[in-house]
Structures are given as structure tokens and as C-alpha cells.
Amino acid sequence: MSHQRILALGDNHGDTESLEKVVDQTQEEEFDFIIHTGDITNAFKTDLQTGVEQLRAIEPYFEKLAERGTLVYIYGNRDKERTFGGEAQHITDEYELKVGHRLTAGESITVDGQRFTANPDDADSDTILLTHWLSQHEFYQSPARAYFSGDTHRARHWGTALNTGYLHNDKGFNGAYFIGELGDDRMDVTVHGIDQSWKGFVCPDHEWYGRQFTPEQFGCGLCKFGTTRQFIPITSSVFTEIVDDVENETASIDNLVAGARKHIVDHNGFADQFREYLQALAEAEHAGPLDPLRPADEFGHLKQ
């Protein structure tokens, strides 16, 4: 497979200013592919019709980006309305983009000779995996040629996997986009802050988390906010991997740590920190509302 130059971005949440700035800042550049990792609109936080209006407003910027490379995109969780009972409508029930190539969740497409899939079980060394949600297992161990995801708003890179963070967040700040130089077995990534300089770094206390990307004035997200947000889905997904019956079986801390090293990332620092997290859960008098004590679905999301 030949070298590919990829512009990766996502999570603009209906904002057009951030996209306009990406268009302006990438003038005269060419890419093999432009990948958007989802949450194109903010229909979930606003309403369906507002989301549709946002999609229409975004389309001209997608058209300009598509002149610089083949555009492939996936929708995210915010691209459908919020409902309390009943089936939620998706923005594409009202309007479909007329530009680019949509990858539907769980399916695959081939564009300009490159195969893309949104199904982790369907990925191989010739395929680019693209999901909105981030799978911890796929981030570290996917057999895919490359893996792109969004959703978490924490940009990071490991091997040939990249989470694109956000273009525009809920606090009203613009974020960053990425240029990946993808070879046969590695991907070099550069970060480009939209309004301010961003940096890439590896935290010595959380090497297992990968290379993080933040504005220059910020440091490691795990040092500041802790590891709980990462360890909740890891615990759930590992538990489903190592037991036969998620409703009735239990797993020891040793088994969960060993399972995490096998199915997520084999790193001593990770194993030590994951063990401390599990021990604190086991010693707590009462389970907290976010404790991963319920079965998870096939993607590692907690079942409700």
C-alpha cells in the first residue's frame, strides 16, 4: 500500500467557523483523503431541525475541503435528536449531504481504491477503520491499516490510531485538526491548532495513554482529571472478554488486570494504575453511579 496523506478532523458540533478556518488554513494543500470523525452537527443538544440547518450550513465548507482530497465522513451520537422514549430521528432523515462519501456505522465502502470500514471486526491491514466512538481495544490493537475516531474530545495518537479530539467544543472554544502521513506500518501525525498553538507530548506518568495533543498551556489530561473516564469502559469491555456469562460470573482483580494487558495495552504503568483503580472499587462501601459494575455491549459501552 502506498503512502497516504490524510487530513483528519471531527466534532465541530454544528459550528461553521472552525470549519471555515480549517478551509482557510489548508489552502494550496492536497490530501489523499479528508476524514471527518463525526458529530458534524449538534442536533442532540439542540433539536432535529436546528441540526438540519447546521448540516446545510456546513455543506459548503465540506465542498471546499473535498476539492483538496477525497472526503470520507461518519456521523456521531449528536447527529440525531434527543428523545425520551421512542426512536430518535437522524438528521439524514431530513437532509443528506451532496458531497463526500458517507460511511455508515457498522458498514464498509471502497473509495479511490481504499477500503474503509466502521466495523472493527471487519478491519484488516488494507482497511482504514473509522468510528465516531473510541474503542480502547482498537486504539491499541486494531489490525487495521489505520484507525480514526472522535467523540472523547481528548486528542491522542498511538501507532496508526488517532483520536481527533474536537474542532469546536461545548465551551465555545475551537480546537485542532491533524495531518497524518500514513505509511505501511506507521503514521506520523502533526497537530494544527485553529486559533492557538497546540503541542503533542507523551506524559511520563501515563505513557500508555499515547501521545496527547493539547493547547500549549495545558498538560496531561489524566494528571489533571484522573484515569476514571478511561478505566470505566476498559473494565467493562475486559470483563465481557474474560467471562462466559456476564450476568452471573465474577472476575478477580488479577484476572481483570491480566485481561486488560491482553486485550487493551501491555504496559507496566498501565497495569499498576488499573490495579489501583480496581482495588479502590473493591474497597468502596457503596458502588458509585459510574462504577463499571454492569455488563457492556459489544463496543464496551455500559448497558442501561
Side-chain angles (χ1 to χ4, degrees):
M1 184 72 69
S2 61
H3 172 275
Q4 293 171 337
R5 190 165 192 257
I6 297 173
L7 172 64
L9 64 164
D11 288 79
N12 59 289
H13 304 121
D15 178 71
T16 56
E17 179 191 84
S18 56
L19 281 172
E20 181 179 16
K21 289 186 175 183
V22 174
V23 168
D24 290 343
Q25 292 173 21
T26 58
Q27 286 186 28
E28 309 301 327
E29 296 202 54
E30 294 183 359
F31 306 95
D32 294 288
F33 294 100
I34 298 169
I35 295 176
H36 194 295
T37 59
D39 276 3
I40 301 171
T41 72
N42 213 15
F44 184 84
K45 293 273 188 166
T46 55
D47 57 71
L48 184 68
Q49 289 307 314
T50 300
V52 171
E53 292 170 8
Q54 291 170 344
L55 189 63
R56 291 179 182 272
I58 283 163
E59 189 166 38
Y61 300 103
F62 270 24
E63 289 173 346
K64 291 180 180 179
L65 287 174
E67 294 173 359
R68 299 165 194 180
T70 300
L71 174 64
V72 179
Y73 62 91
I74 194 167
Y75 286 106
N77 55 294
R78 295 201 189 186
D79 295 315
K80 63 181 178 182
E81 66 180 340
R82 185 176 187 178
T83 61
F84 300 92
E87 187 169 344
Q89 276 192 285
H90 197 272
I91 53 171
T92 55
D93 293 336
E94 297 287 333
Y95 187 75
E96 284 274 9
L97 289 171
K98 301 177 182 65
V99 59
H101 303 269
R102 175 187 177 183
L103 179 62
T104 304
E107 298 186 356
S108 65
I109 57 174
T110 298
V111 185
D112 291 349
Q114 175 62 62
R115 186 171 182 268
F116 292 82
T117 186
N119 181 359
D121 294 333
D122 191 33
D124 58 33
S125 60
D126 294 325
T127 302
I128 292 177
L129 175 63
L130 171 58
T131 64
H132 176 61
W133 49 269
L134 183 146
S135 165
Q136 297 282 3
H137 171 75
E138 306 307 326
F139 185 80
Y140 293 106
Q141 298 192 32
S142 175
R145 172 168 167 77
Y147 174 37
F148 296 90
S149 64
D151 188 43
T152 71
H153 301 177
R154 292 186 181 178
R156 58 185 174 126
H157 167 226
W158 179 282
T160 58
L162 174 68
N163 183 277
T164 55
Y166 62 89
L167 280 180
H168 188 79
N169 67 16
D170 293 331
K171 295 180 180 179
F173 295 108
N174 289 332
Y177 60 93
F178 301 84
I179 295 177
E181 304 286 348
L182 181 60
D184 289 335
D185 56 3
R186 63 175 291 169
M187 180 166 64
D188 296 322
V189 174
T190 55
V191 61
H192 300 266
I194 296 174
D195 290 333
Q196 59 182 314
S197 179
W198 277 49
K199 63 183 178 182
F201 64 96
V202 176
C203 173
D205 294 326
H206 300 100
E207 291 180 350
W208 59 268
Y209 193 58
R211 185 177 177 219
Q212 301 179 56
F213 301 98
T214 68
E216 287 285 355
Q217 68 270 30
F218 296 149
C220 173
L222 298 192
C223 288
K224 182 175 182 179
F225 299 108
T227 57
T228 298
R229 183 177 175 184
Q230 307 304 316
F231 287 162
I232 286 174
I234 288 175
T235 305
S236 300
S237 62
V238 168
F239 183 76
T240 61
E241 289 284 349
I242 65 176
V243 302
D244 295 324
D245 184 349
V246 296
E247 298 292 339
N248 299 307
E249 289 193 42
T250 60
S252 68
I253 289 177
D254 285 344
N255 285 342
L256 285 169
V257 172
R261 296 192 76 146
K262 177 180 178 181
H263 297 288
I264 306 298
V265 57
D266 188 10
H267 186 281
N268 289 337
F270 164 79
D272 292 343
Q273 292 167 29
F274 188 51
R275 181 180 295 277
E276 290 177 7
Y277 166 78
L278 294 173
Q279 287 175 336
L281 282 184
E283 294 168 2
E285 185 174 348
H286 300 289
L290 297 180
D291 289 350
L293 304 177
R294 289 170 287 156
D297 63 20
E298 61 182 317
F299 302 124
H301 298 154
L302 292 178
K303 291 183 177 178
Q304 303 299 317

